[in-house]
């Protein structure tokens, strides 16, 4: 099964990326995922279910420890034809 996760961390800072946002990006960029898209207002990553769920677990723990006060995420199953 393939999954796609979309996430944001808060609080936002438009002048400089906060530590929790940098940590969250580090987690998904270091994970063994097939596709990662990092943006200023949202991030997406895609890969196998175990890899995505492992990255989500690490992202939640590390971003909260780095000062995130809210993490919004959505996980979707990627249909075979959408790969």
């Amino acid at each position: 099964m393939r999954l796609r996760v979309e996430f944001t961390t808060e609080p936002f800072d438009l002048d400089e990326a906060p530590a929790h946002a940098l940590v969250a990006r580090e987690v998904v960029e270091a994970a063994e995922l097939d596709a990662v898209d990092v943006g200023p207002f949202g991030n997406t990553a895609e890969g196998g279910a175990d890899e995505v769920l492992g990255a989500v677990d690490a992202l939640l723990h590390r971003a909260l420890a780095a000062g995130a006060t809210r993490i919004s995420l959505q996980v979707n199953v990627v249909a075979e034809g959408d790969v």
Side-chain angles (χ1 to χ4, degrees), residues 5-31:
V5 61
E6 301 173 44
F7 68 92
T8 58
T9 62
E10 295 179 39
F12 293 114
D13 183 340
L14 296 178
D15 294 326
E16 185 176 334
H20 58 79
L22 297 175
V23 165
R25 291 175 190 161
E26 277 179 21
V27 168
V28 295
E29 288 174 344

Side-chain angles (χ1 to χ4, degrees), residues 2-5 31-34 45-58 75-76:
R2 291 184 54 79
L3 299 176
R4 179 182 300 125
V5 61
E32 294 183 24
L33 301 173
D34 301 329
E46 189 173 308
D50 289 340
E51 292 77 17
V52 170
L53 295 174
V56 166
D57 180 58
V75 178
N76 294 302

